[in-house]
Structures are given as C-alpha cells and as structure tokens.
C-alpha cells in the first residue's frame, strides 16, 4: 500500500512538472506571436493596433530590444520625438549591434533637424548591415536634405544597385540628380520608379523648386497629355 502511494505521488509530481512545462511553453509562444503580430501592424502602419501589443511585450520582457525598437518606430511616426529617441536608445543599449535601431534613430534625427547625429546613426546602420538598400537610401536622403548632393547621389546609387525595385530610393535619386541640374538622369530615375506621368510631375516639382515655373508648367501639361493617352 505504501509503495502504491509513493508511486502515485511520483506520477502526480511528474504530471504536474510536465503541465508546468507545457504552460510555460504556451506562454512563451504567445509572447512571440504577439510580438510578430505587432511587427506586422507596424510594417503596415496600423499603429493603433500595435501599441497595446508592444506595451504588453515591454512590460512582460523589459529586456526585449526588438519590442523597444518597434515601439520607438511607432512613437516616431506619431511625432513623439523625445519619447521615440529614448526608446531607440534603450533598444541600442540592450543590443548595440541592432542595425534597425540605428537606422530608425537616424531617420528620427533627420526629422529633428540634427544632421550630424543623423549621419552618424545612418553610417552605423550601414556598418552593421552593408547590403541593406533602405539604409543606404536613408543616408542618401539625409545628405540630400543637408545639401550634400554629391554624397546623396553616391549613397542613393548604392541603394539602387542593391535593390533596383526600391521605389523610394529611385525617387530620391531623381530629386538628387534634379538638384544637381542633370534633368535627363532625374527623369530616367523617376520613370523607373513609377512610369512616365509621375516622372514628369516629379521633374516639374524639381523645376519649380529651382524657380523655373515655365518648365514646370510645360512638364505638368505633358503629364496630363500622357494621362489622357494612357486612358485610350
């Protein structure tokens, strides 16, 4: 009888141990799934849906650098720049080689009009992810808005070489060439990004920014003709 009691207790203990392990595994899988879902929401711009998931992830796992980085991106897109900066820096403190966090911080510093800090962050992201076309695009755009057209073109050409389908890099490169006065190259980039009509409208904007309203109006007229032709 005593042996039976001992065996029963051992079996129950083993069962409880297995149950606890299963519960822990399910909880961990749930955390991973919530974070994956939050990332999907962030990528799609559904920030309202992402915020509660990210806040819960950070509360449950304060050392989860990926959650901090995603939350920083949401805060940045909401215009909460100081809060976004703190979240990016937390992600970097937890994972110094997280290229995405450095890239996001660079974009934030561009928005905050802190060009030197932006450039350093972009260069750090590229050092960590040299084959990531978006990081080269970020650096190129940062140079462009700072007036460094030559460096902008070099970086954006690198982005396009890595990913010829990266529309944002093609458009930024078009504006960089337009800023330099190479309108043929600008039009070629704009066309590669979105076709003839958007290309002419973008080039019209380039001329308008340069004060050449006559050329801008002519290009807009050509864009309308191109649109009418496409509809036939």
């Amino acid at each position: 009888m005593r042996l039976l009691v001992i065996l029963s207790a051992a079996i129950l203990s083993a069962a409880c141990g297995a149950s606890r392990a299963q519960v822990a595994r399910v909880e961990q899988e749930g955390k991973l799934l919530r974070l994956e879902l939050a990332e999907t929401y962030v990528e799609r711009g559904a920030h309202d849906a992402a915020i509660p998931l990210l806040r819960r992830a950070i509360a449950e796992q304060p050392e989860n650098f990926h959650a901090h980085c995603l939350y920083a991106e949401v805060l940045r897109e909401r215009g909460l720049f100081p809060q976004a900066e703190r979240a990016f820096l937390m992600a970097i403190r937890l994972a110094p080689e997280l290229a995405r966090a450095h890239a996001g911080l660079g974009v934030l510093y561009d928005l905050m009009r802190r060009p030197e800090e932006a450039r350093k962050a972009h260069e750090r992201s590229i050092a960590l992810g040299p084959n990531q076309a978006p990081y080269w695009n970020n650096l190129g755009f940062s140079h462009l808005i700072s007036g460094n057209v030559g460096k902008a073109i070099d970086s954006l050409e690198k982005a396009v070489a890595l990913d010829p389908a990266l529309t944002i890099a093609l458009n930024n490169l078009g504006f960089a060439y337009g800023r330099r006065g190479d309108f043929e190259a600008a039009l070629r980039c704009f066309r590669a990004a979105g076709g003839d009509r958007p290309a002419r409208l973008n080039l019209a904007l380039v001329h308008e920014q340069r004060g050449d309203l006559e050329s801008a109006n002519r290009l807009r007229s050509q864009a309308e003709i191109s649109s009418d032709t496409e509809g036939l």
Side-chain angles (χ1 to χ4, degrees):
M1 183 67 176
R2 183 180 177 187
L3 178 60
L4 180 60
V5 170
I6 292 172
L7 288 173
S8 298
I11 292 171
L12 180 61
S13 176
C16 289
S19 177
R20 285 194 294 270
Q22 290 173 349
V23 169
R25 185 170 64 253
V26 169
E27 289 179 349
Q28 182 61 28
E29 289 174 353
K31 292 176 182 178
L32 291 174
L33 287 173
R34 282 195 295 273
L35 191 56
E36 288 177 5
L37 181 59
E39 183 171 10
T40 299
Y41 283 142
V42 172
E43 298 294 344
R44 295 181 178 180
H47 298 146
D48 286 344
I51 287 173
L53 294 173
L54 291 171
R55 289 173 64 89
R56 180 173 176 179
I58 292 171
E60 292 176 339
Q61 306 174 74
E63 303 296 304
N64 190 316
F65 55 84
H66 190 49
H68 284 286
C69 184
L70 290 172
Y71 193 49
E73 292 175 9
V74 171
L75 292 169
R76 183 192 64 205
E77 297 307 307
R78 289 279 176 126
L80 300 173
F81 294 165
Q83 296 88 340
E85 181 182 18
R86 286 195 293 272
F88 276 126
L89 292 175
M90 173 60 75
I92 291 170
R93 183 183 70 78
L94 294 170
E97 296 189 356
L98 183 61
R100 180 170 181 165
H102 290 281
L105 185 62
V107 172
L108 176 65
Y109 284 150
D110 279 322
L111 292 170
M112 296 175 75
R113 306 278 196 244
R114 293 159 63 176
E116 285 303 312
E117 292 169 282
R119 180 184 56 77
K120 290 178 182 178
H122 291 313
E123 289 178 348
R124 180 59 178 156
S125 72
I126 289 171
L128 294 168
N131 295 319
Q132 293 294 319
Y135 298 165
W136 285 98
N137 170 71
N138 291 344
L139 178 60
F141 183 74
S142 186
H143 282 310
L144 184 61
I145 61 177
S146 296
N148 299 317
V149 176
K151 290 182 178 180
I153 289 174
D154 290 342
S155 298
L156 292 166
E157 286 282 10
K158 179 67 174 180
V160 171
L162 288 168
D163 185 357
L166 189 59
T167 300
I168 189 171
L170 286 165
N171 277 323
N172 285 335
L173 183 56
F175 282 111
Y177 275 125
R179 185 81 63 85
R180 193 165 72 176
D182 190 343
F183 305 127
E184 183 177 343
L187 187 61
R188 184 173 64 251
C189 293
F190 289 144
R191 279 178 173 150
D196 188 69
R197 182 174 182 273
R200 293 183 186 277
L201 290 174
N202 279 338
L203 191 57
L205 181 58
V206 168
H207 282 292
E208 187 173 82
Q209 291 173 342
R210 294 171 65 91
D212 186 354
L213 299 183
E214 182 179 349
S215 295
N217 290 332
R218 184 181 70 253
L219 283 160
R220 289 194 176 96
S221 296
Q222 292 173 355
E224 292 305 316
I225 293 172
S226 175
S227 178
D228 291 341
T229 303
E230 290 175 359
L232 295 178

